[in-house]
Structures are given as C-alpha cells and as structure tokens.
C-alpha cells in the first residue's frame, strides 16, 4: 500500500524529486526485506515505471532488468 501511495505522489507536479526519493526508499526496503518474492518485483516495476515517466530510460531499464522472469 505504501508503494502505491508513493508512486501516485510521483505523478503530482509538485515536489517530484522528494516523491521519487520516498518511492525509492520504500521500494528499497521492500526489495531488501522480501528480495525473492513477488512484492520485491512489484517494487522494481513501480520504480521502473516512475523512472520511465520521469524520462530516465536507462534507470527504468535497470529496474525492469532486476524483475524475475517468473513475474
């Protein structure tokens, strides 16, 4: 739920950098705690989508490449 809320804040035109930093912090926690689980892949995908919307295609690809093939 926190991941979805942080991702939606990134769509707000105000303070996108702070919202992205929050999303990265939450996603990092999820990936660290549940590394091999679908929750971690959801976090990686959310990061990739947000980075892609921001125009950072290389960072988005890096996030997407970390998603397991089972997801």
């Amino acid at each position: 739920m926190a991941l979805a809320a942080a991702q939606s804040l990134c769509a707000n035109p105000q303070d996108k950098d702070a919202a992205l930093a929050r999303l990265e912090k939450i996603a990092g926690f999820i990936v660290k705690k549940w590394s091999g689980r679908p929750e971690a892949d959801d976090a990686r995908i959310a990061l990739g989508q947000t980075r892609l919307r921001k125009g950072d295609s290389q960072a988005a690809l890096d996030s997407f490449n970390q998603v397991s093939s089972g997801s």
Side-chain angles (χ1 to χ4, degrees), residues 47-65:
L47 271 177
Q49 290 171 335
T50 302
R51 289 172 172 165
L52 193 58
R53 274 189 236 113
K54 189 176 177 186
D56 192 351
S57 57
Q58 186 57 53
L61 285 173
D62 292 343
S63 293
F64 292 140
N65 285 332

Side-chain angles (χ1 to χ4, degrees), residues 2-69:
L3 184 64
Q7 190 176 20
S8 67
L9 286 175
C10 289
N12 187 349
Q14 299 175 4
D15 215 1
K16 282 189 178 189
D17 291 334
L20 180 59
R22 178 177 289 200
L23 175 65
E24 289 174 339
K25 182 178 178 181
I26 293 168
F29 170 80
I30 292 169
V31 168
K32 184 177 177 183
K33 182 126 176 115
W34 298 288
S35 181
R37 302 206 30 156
E39 292 83 357
D41 283 338
D42 288 344
R44 293 176 183 114
I45 291 168
L47 271 177
Q49 290 171 335
T50 302
R51 289 172 172 165
L52 193 58
R53 274 189 236 113
K54 189 176 177 186
D56 192 351
S57 57
Q58 186 57 53
L61 285 173
D62 292 343
S63 293
F64 292 140
N65 285 332
Q66 294 175 19
V67 176
S68 72
S69 60

